[in-house]
Amino acid sequence: YIKFLDLLGVTLTPANPAATEVTFLLSAPQPTPVKVPLGTEVATVRTETQEAIVFTTDEELTIYPPRLDYLLVSPDAAQFYDLLPQLRQQASLPVPPPAPGGPLRGTPLFQEVPRPGDVFYLGFSTDVAQTVLAVVLGCQGTSVGINPSNPPLQWQYWDTDVSRWETFSREPEAEAWLQEDGTRGLNAPGQLLLHLPRSAGRTTVGLRESNWLRCQVTAFTAEQGAYETSPRISSVAVQAMGGSAWATHVSRVVGEVLGISDGKPGQTMNISRTPILPLEGGETVEVEREDGSGWETWTQVAEFSRSGPADKHFVGDPVAGQVLFGPVIRSPTGQSRYGATPPGGAHVRLTAYRSGGGVTGNLGRGVLRVLKTAIPYVAAVTNRRSAAGGVDPESIEHAKMRGPQLLRTRYRAVTAEDFESLAKEASPLVGRAHCVQPQQAGTPGSPAPGVVQVLVTPALPASSLRLSEEELVPSREMVADVRKHLEERKLLTTALVVDAPQYVWVAVEARVKVRRGAEPNLVSQAVADKLYQFIHPLQGGPDGDGWPFGRDLVDSELYSQIQSVAGVDYTAELKLYRVDPTNQQKGDAIRTLEIPADGLLCSASHTITCF
């Protein structure tokens, strides 16, 4: 059967490496740009029982000293005034110490009595995307009326991807993170530490084009309070404290000699470090010239059927970790050679390849702390967000399951099953795929006639039971790969939409009676784990292969799930709540949670009380 699949051209899908952004922190602000080269290696801490897991940067990072050009204030969002020249002039003059109880010095940042919507802007001529930026403000004010640890302010940046202002989050996992506010809501001299995303960019404010940040007064709440007077500023300075770059779970190996050719066709040479990733540009096979004058570059092909006897071609098998050269095939008319053969005695080497990938690279945040490549002025490294996307090489068993699907589709997407099978084939990052078929007009979640909607969910480790909204969002690269793969195989008249499902989040509250002798805390945790497992987009549902798309949840089916947990006597009470993922607010208690055709059920936070 495996040989039959081989004849059909079914090959095992190689490993996929996990990826994350790593942040390089400087030992001190520098007056000149600091470069972190492409290929810089960072790793986890090596222990007695576990080898270090190495990640390599995919891009060169340059941390530029920021240059502040504008500090704009506007009383009416129509007229803008630049305070920076005035502040710089004041900074050059001697300033006597403030008298106790005397009037506040500096220039107001907002109206005399700040109102929601008041804002001031910081404009930079240098690119500050991917930078850890320290903004040092000489603020003076009074904290009377506001909560200094949670002021009614939002720090924002201009996002070029969506062309709007986006707010810095106070959560470390966010792309844009407000790590520190030493000004206590603009009421004391201090430093703000901002991690800017790569989408931060230029726009025009007050007829001035620049890279902009802004600080806006938000609606007042009882918890945050309200400003009674405007904060005032007497100085401002900016510094670059670090920067972020993408890194993947790979190690780059350069110039590995695979062996010496025996001069026979159909040779196979093994690569020492597996699994490897598919070879990219600049990664190829070189064969030593017979006269010893150097190395000759050979070309990688998908297979040898179109290779002639003189074509210097090879096939790379990343799953097996092998390089194959063209064979000689017997035929009724004699022998046919497909591809050239390296001359006997010639050394064969790989110019470079990347070793790594797999689920071992799916790491938690903050574990990449070792800088394996020394870089001047860089003192530390970390990953603020978890690494995700690591997938092991495909197994023989899984490939055998794909055989019948391949025969059905013949690489053409016609039926819903064809679209689902080909979508999963497009990228190893796809965990599940579902094709939504048009229903009657007006059906919620149904695509328009003539439109094929394919919903994709990222692959996640089996250990991931409690999921976040960010983990379930397919990456742009994954969506692009699926769309490209399907566009080449769909009917010409079909309009294609590839998107994420409409995730519906549910929280369960249950009161459970435990059996005599059972430990309530252990039973509570086991019941919660059972619910997270059952209400799971990739592992849940009645069949354990993911919650079915568009399937409703009824509270009665949860009783049987809870009852199957060891130590449970009975369930006294059970409630379902639909949860808004943006603010974690629960709706009213319900017995049936309805899911639209393009929807997929996910677990929010479950609460289990044992007695």
Side-chain angles (χ1 to χ4, degrees), residues 271-291:
I271 301 170
S272 63
R273 297 175 63 176
T274 57
I276 71 168
L277 303 182
L279 300 180
E280 294 184 338
E283 300 174 345
T284 188
V285 164
E286 291 183 336
V287 177
E288 188 180 23
R289 290 191 174 93
E290 293 186 75
D291 58 5

PDB file of all heavy atoms in Angstrom, residues 271-291:
ATOM      1  N   ILE A 271      21.541  12.958   5.621  1.00  0.00           N
ATOM      2  CA  ILE A 271      21.889  14.208   6.297  1.00  0.00           C
ATOM      3  C   ILE A 271      21.971  13.919   7.795  1.00  0.00           C
ATOM      4  O   ILE A 271      21.129  13.197   8.348  1.00  0.00           O
ATOM      5  CB  ILE A 271      20.833  15.286   5.990  1.00  0.00           C
ATOM      6  CG1 ILE A 271      20.757  15.502   4.471  1.00  0.00           C
ATOM      7  CG2 ILE A 271      21.141  16.593   6.705  1.00  0.00           C
ATOM      8  CD1 ILE A 271      19.593  16.372   4.033  1.00  0.00           C
ATOM      9  N   SER A 272      22.964  14.459   8.462  1.00  0.00           N
ATOM     10  CA  SER A 272      23.264  14.032   9.841  1.00  0.00           C
ATOM     11  C   SER A 272      22.235  14.494  10.856  1.00  0.00           C
ATOM     12  O   SER A 272      21.903  13.765  11.790  1.00  0.00           O
ATOM     13  CB  SER A 272      24.661  14.513  10.247  1.00  0.00           C
ATOM     14  OG  SER A 272      24.719  15.936  10.257  1.00  0.00           O
ATOM     15  N   ARG A 273      21.715  15.717  10.704  1.00  0.00           N
ATOM     16  CA  ARG A 273      20.819  16.278  11.731  1.00  0.00           C
ATOM     17  C   ARG A 273      19.392  16.345  11.200  1.00  0.00           C
ATOM     18  O   ARG A 273      19.101  17.111  10.293  1.00  0.00           O
ATOM     19  CB  ARG A 273      21.307  17.667  12.156  1.00  0.00           C
ATOM     20  CG  ARG A 273      22.687  17.643  12.814  1.00  0.00           C
ATOM     21  CD  ARG A 273      23.210  19.035  13.111  1.00  0.00           C
ATOM     22  NE  ARG A 273      22.361  19.741  14.062  1.00  0.00           N
ATOM     23  CZ  ARG A 273      22.647  20.952  14.542  1.00  0.00           C
ATOM     24  NH1 ARG A 273      23.758  21.576  14.161  1.00  0.00           N
ATOM     25  NH2 ARG A 273      21.836  21.534  15.403  1.00  0.00           N
ATOM     26  N   THR A 274      18.532  15.512  11.753  1.00  0.00           N
ATOM     27  CA  THR A 274      17.129  15.464  11.332  1.00  0.00           C
ATOM     28  C   THR A 274      16.243  15.727  12.536  1.00  0.00           C
ATOM     29  O   THR A 274      16.673  15.538  13.684  1.00  0.00           O
ATOM     30  CB  THR A 274      16.794  14.080  10.731  1.00  0.00           C
ATOM     31  OG1 THR A 274      17.097  13.066  11.692  1.00  0.00           O
ATOM     32  CG2 THR A 274      17.583  13.837   9.457  1.00  0.00           C
ATOM     33  N   PRO A 275      14.983  16.168  12.341  1.00  0.00           N
ATOM     34  CA  PRO A 275      14.381  16.448  11.037  1.00  0.00           C
ATOM     35  C   PRO A 275      14.925  17.736  10.443  1.00  0.00           C
ATOM     36  O   PRO A 275      15.424  18.593  11.165  1.00  0.00           O
ATOM     37  CB  PRO A 275      12.895  16.589  11.364  1.00  0.00           C
ATOM     38  CG  PRO A 275      12.883  17.093  12.772  1.00  0.00           C
ATOM     39  CD  PRO A 275      14.043  16.438  13.446  1.00  0.00           C
ATOM     40  N   ILE A 276      14.818  17.832   9.127  1.00  0.00           N
ATOM     41  CA  ILE A 276      15.229  19.060   8.455  1.00  0.00           C
ATOM     42  C   ILE A 276      14.005  19.683   7.789  1.00  0.00           C
ATOM     43  O   ILE A 276      12.975  19.029   7.598  1.00  0.00           O
ATOM     44  CB  ILE A 276      16.345  18.815   7.420  1.00  0.00           C
ATOM     45  CG1 ILE A 276      15.795  18.055   6.196  1.00  0.00           C
ATOM     46  CG2 ILE A 276      17.507  18.076   8.041  1.00  0.00           C
ATOM     47  CD1 ILE A 276      16.745  18.030   5.028  1.00  0.00           C
ATOM     48  N   LEU A 277      14.131  20.937   7.437  1.00  0.00           N
ATOM     49  CA  LEU A 277      13.066  21.644   6.742  1.00  0.00           C
ATOM     50  C   LEU A 277      13.355  21.651   5.251  1.00  0.00           C
ATOM     51  O   LEU A 277      14.511  21.483   4.825  1.00  0.00           O
ATOM     52  CB  LEU A 277      12.964  23.074   7.259  1.00  0.00           C
ATOM     53  CG  LEU A 277      12.737  23.223   8.766  1.00  0.00           C
ATOM     54  CD1 LEU A 277      12.597  24.685   9.132  1.00  0.00           C
ATOM     55  CD2 LEU A 277      11.520  22.452   9.220  1.00  0.00           C
ATOM     56  N   PRO A 278      12.327  21.805   4.414  1.00  0.00           N
ATOM     57  CA  PRO A 278      12.568  21.859   2.964  1.00  0.00           C
ATOM     58  C   PRO A 278      13.614  22.913   2.617  1.00  0.00           C
ATOM     59  O   PRO A 278      13.649  24.000   3.197  1.00  0.00           O
ATOM     60  CB  PRO A 278      11.186  22.224   2.400  1.00  0.00           C
ATOM     61  CG  PRO A 278      10.218  21.715   3.415  1.00  0.00           C
ATOM     62  CD  PRO A 278      10.897  21.898   4.741  1.00  0.00           C
ATOM     63  N   LEU A 279      14.475  22.577   1.667  1.00  0.00           N
ATOM     64  CA  LEU A 279      15.552  23.480   1.282  1.00  0.00           C
ATOM     65  C   LEU A 279      14.993  24.730   0.627  1.00  0.00           C
ATOM     66  O   LEU A 279      14.045  24.673  -0.160  1.00  0.00           O
ATOM     67  CB  LEU A 279      16.507  22.774   0.320  1.00  0.00           C
ATOM     68  CG  LEU A 279      17.188  21.508   0.862  1.00  0.00           C
ATOM     69  CD1 LEU A 279      18.107  20.908  -0.202  1.00  0.00           C
ATOM     70  CD2 LEU A 279      17.964  21.793   2.136  1.00  0.00           C
ATOM     71  N   GLU A 280      15.585  25.865   0.960  1.00  0.00           N
ATOM     72  CA  GLU A 280      15.172  27.146   0.403  1.00  0.00           C
ATOM     73  C   GLU A 280      16.265  27.687  -0.498  1.00  0.00           C
ATOM     74  O   GLU A 280      17.263  27.013  -0.776  1.00  0.00           O
ATOM     75  CB  GLU A 280      14.873  28.136   1.538  1.00  0.00           C
ATOM     76  CG  GLU A 280      13.672  27.766   2.383  1.00  0.00           C
ATOM     77  CD  GLU A 280      13.358  28.816   3.427  1.00  0.00           C
ATOM     78  OE1 GLU A 280      14.275  29.591   3.777  1.00  0.00           O
ATOM     79  OE2 GLU A 280      12.203  28.870   3.893  1.00  0.00           O
ATOM     80  N   GLY A 281      16.074  28.932  -0.978  1.00  0.00           N
ATOM     81  CA  GLY A 281      17.074  29.562  -1.820  1.00  0.00           C
ATOM     82  C   GLY A 281      18.428  29.652  -1.140  1.00  0.00           C
ATOM     83  O   GLY A 281      18.522  30.036   0.020  1.00  0.00           O
ATOM     84  N   GLY A 282      19.476  29.300  -1.843  1.00  0.00           N
ATOM     85  CA  GLY A 282      20.815  29.291  -1.268  1.00  0.00           C
ATOM     86  C   GLY A 282      21.169  28.004  -0.554  1.00  0.00           C
ATOM     87  O   GLY A 282      22.328  27.812  -0.154  1.00  0.00           O
ATOM     88  N   GLU A 283      20.185  27.112  -0.371  1.00  0.00           N
ATOM     89  CA  GLU A 283      20.429  25.806   0.253  1.00  0.00           C
ATOM     90  C   GLU A 283      20.338  24.746  -0.842  1.00  0.00           C
ATOM     91  O   GLU A 283      19.259  24.441  -1.343  1.00  0.00           O
ATOM     92  CB  GLU A 283      19.410  25.532   1.360  1.00  0.00           C
ATOM     93  CG  GLU A 283      19.426  26.563   2.473  1.00  0.00           C
ATOM     94  CD  GLU A 283      18.321  26.379   3.487  1.00  0.00           C
ATOM     95  OE1 GLU A 283      17.353  25.626   3.218  1.00  0.00           O
ATOM     96  OE2 GLU A 283      18.401  27.002   4.561  1.00  0.00           O
ATOM     97  N   THR A 284      21.466  24.188  -1.234  1.00  0.00           N
ATOM     98  CA  THR A 284      21.481  23.254  -2.355  1.00  0.00           C
ATOM     99  C   THR A 284      22.657  22.301  -2.213  1.00  0.00           C
ATOM    100  O   THR A 284      23.474  22.420  -1.294  1.00  0.00           O
ATOM    101  CB  THR A 284      21.548  24.011  -3.684  1.00  0.00           C
ATOM    102  OG1 THR A 284      21.368  23.099  -4.762  1.00  0.00           O
ATOM    103  CG2 THR A 284      22.876  24.731  -3.847  1.00  0.00           C
ATOM    104  N   VAL A 285      22.731  21.362  -3.152  1.00  0.00           N
ATOM    105  CA  VAL A 285      23.809  20.376  -3.179  1.00  0.00           C
ATOM    106  C   VAL A 285      24.930  20.861  -4.093  1.00  0.00           C
ATOM    107  O   VAL A 285      24.674  21.421  -5.161  1.00  0.00           O
ATOM    108  CB  VAL A 285      23.278  19.006  -3.658  1.00  0.00           C
ATOM    109  CG1 VAL A 285      24.414  18.079  -4.061  1.00  0.00           C
ATOM    110  CG2 VAL A 285      22.431  18.357  -2.574  1.00  0.00           C
ATOM    111  N   GLU A 286      26.152  20.644  -3.646  1.00  0.00           N
ATOM    112  CA  GLU A 286      27.333  20.918  -4.473  1.00  0.00           C
ATOM    113  C   GLU A 286      28.160  19.645  -4.575  1.00  0.00           C
ATOM    114  O   GLU A 286      28.314  18.915  -3.591  1.00  0.00           O
ATOM    115  CB  GLU A 286      28.185  22.036  -3.873  1.00  0.00           C
ATOM    116  CG  GLU A 286      27.524  23.410  -3.939  1.00  0.00           C
ATOM    117  CD  GLU A 286      28.420  24.507  -3.395  1.00  0.00           C
ATOM    118  OE1 GLU A 286      29.320  24.199  -2.583  1.00  0.00           O
ATOM    119  OE2 GLU A 286      28.213  25.667  -3.777  1.00  0.00           O
ATOM    120  N   VAL A 287      28.679  19.402  -5.792  1.00  0.00           N
ATOM    121  CA  VAL A 287      29.494  18.219  -6.062  1.00  0.00           C
ATOM    122  C   VAL A 287      30.890  18.673  -6.472  1.00  0.00           C
ATOM    123  O   VAL A 287      31.045  19.587  -7.284  1.00  0.00           O
ATOM    124  CB  VAL A 287      28.868  17.348  -7.170  1.00  0.00           C
ATOM    125  CG1 VAL A 287      29.771  16.154  -7.488  1.00  0.00           C
ATOM    126  CG2 VAL A 287      27.480  16.869  -6.741  1.00  0.00           C
ATOM    127  N   GLU A 288      31.886  18.029  -5.898  1.00  0.00           N
ATOM    128  CA  GLU A 288      33.289  18.370  -6.198  1.00  0.00           C
ATOM    129  C   GLU A 288      33.612  18.047  -7.654  1.00  0.00           C
ATOM    130  O   GLU A 288      33.269  16.973  -8.161  1.00  0.00           O
ATOM    131  CB  GLU A 288      34.207  17.585  -5.266  1.00  0.00           C
ATOM    132  CG  GLU A 288      35.663  17.986  -5.350  1.00  0.00           C
ATOM    133  CD  GLU A 288      36.527  17.180  -4.398  1.00  0.00           C
ATOM    134  OE1 GLU A 288      36.105  16.069  -4.016  1.00  0.00           O
ATOM    135  OE2 GLU A 288      37.628  17.659  -4.032  1.00  0.00           O
ATOM    136  N   ARG A 289      34.247  19.001  -8.323  1.00  0.00           N
ATOM    137  CA  ARG A 289      34.641  18.779  -9.713  1.00  0.00           C
ATOM    138  C   ARG A 289      35.720  17.700  -9.782  1.00  0.00           C
ATOM    139  O   ARG A 289      36.528  17.541  -8.860  1.00  0.00           O
ATOM    140  CB  ARG A 289      35.153  20.072 -10.351  1.00  0.00           C
ATOM    141  CG  ARG A 289      34.062  21.109 -10.589  1.00  0.00           C
ATOM    142  CD  ARG A 289      34.585  22.242 -11.447  1.00  0.00           C
ATOM    143  NE  ARG A 289      33.520  23.183 -11.803  1.00  0.00           N
ATOM    144  CZ  ARG A 289      33.231  24.280 -11.125  1.00  0.00           C
ATOM    145  NH1 ARG A 289      33.954  24.598 -10.045  1.00  0.00           N
ATOM    146  NH2 ARG A 289      32.246  25.061 -11.511  1.00  0.00           N
ATOM    147  N   GLU A 290      35.729  16.987 -10.911  1.00  0.00           N
ATOM    148  CA  GLU A 290      36.667  15.869 -11.071  1.00  0.00           C
ATOM    149  C   GLU A 290      38.117  16.330 -11.056  1.00  0.00           C
ATOM    150  O   GLU A 290      39.011  15.600 -10.609  1.00  0.00           O
ATOM    151  CB  GLU A 290      36.360  15.123 -12.378  1.00  0.00           C
ATOM    152  CG  GLU A 290      35.023  14.395 -12.369  1.00  0.00           C
ATOM    153  CD  GLU A 290      34.826  13.547 -13.607  1.00  0.00           C
ATOM    154  OE1 GLU A 290      35.450  12.478 -13.709  1.00  0.00           O
ATOM    155  OE2 GLU A 290      34.035  13.967 -14.481  1.00  0.00           O
ATOM    156  N   ASP A 291      38.363  17.562 -11.534  1.00  0.00           N
ATOM    157  CA  ASP A 291      39.748  18.040 -11.551  1.00  0.00           C
ATOM    158  C   ASP A 291      40.149  18.701 -10.237  1.00  0.00           C
ATOM    159  O   ASP A 291      41.255  19.240 -10.119  1.00  0.00           O
ATOM    160  CB  ASP A 291      39.949  19.015 -12.717  1.00  0.00           C
ATOM    161  CG  ASP A 291      39.005  20.224 -12.639  1.00  0.00           C
ATOM    162  OD1 ASP A 291      38.268  20.348 -11.629  1.00  0.00           O
ATOM    163  OD2 ASP A 291      39.009  21.035 -13.581  1.00  0.00           O
TER     164      ASP A 291
END
